[in-house]
Amino acid sequence: MPSPEALAREFGIPLENHALAHILSRDELKADPIHPNEDGYRILDESILQILISTGGL
């Protein structure tokens, strides 16, 4: 199975593949063992926003 990075390159799709791992590796950014809290979602939102801006999506 191809990696997310390989699929993104193949199809020319922007990929943000680090923010969620960062969030879920820190208890202070999670509401429970698998869901981000408000601060975690803010980081994820900002990361996605930056990808959209840098690739011309916004």
Side-chain angles (χ1 to χ4, degrees):
M1 176 182 281
S3 70
E5 293 84 0
L7 289 171
R9 277 192 305 276
E10 179 179 345
F11 293 103
I13 299 169
L15 174 67
E16 199 308 300
N17 203 27
H18 303 288
L20 192 56
H22 168 78
I23 293 162
L24 295 180
S25 70
R26 289 166 176 74
D27 288 339
E28 67 273 10
L29 297 175
K30 295 187 293 185
D32 59 40
I34 60 170
H35 295 98
N37 62 18
E38 182 178 344
D39 292 332
Y41 277 118
R42 184 175 301 110
I43 291 169
L44 185 59
D45 292 347
E46 290 169 358
S47 298
I48 293 169
L49 177 62
Q50 289 307 310
I51 292 284
L52 288 170
I53 290 170
S54 70
T55 60
L58 288 179

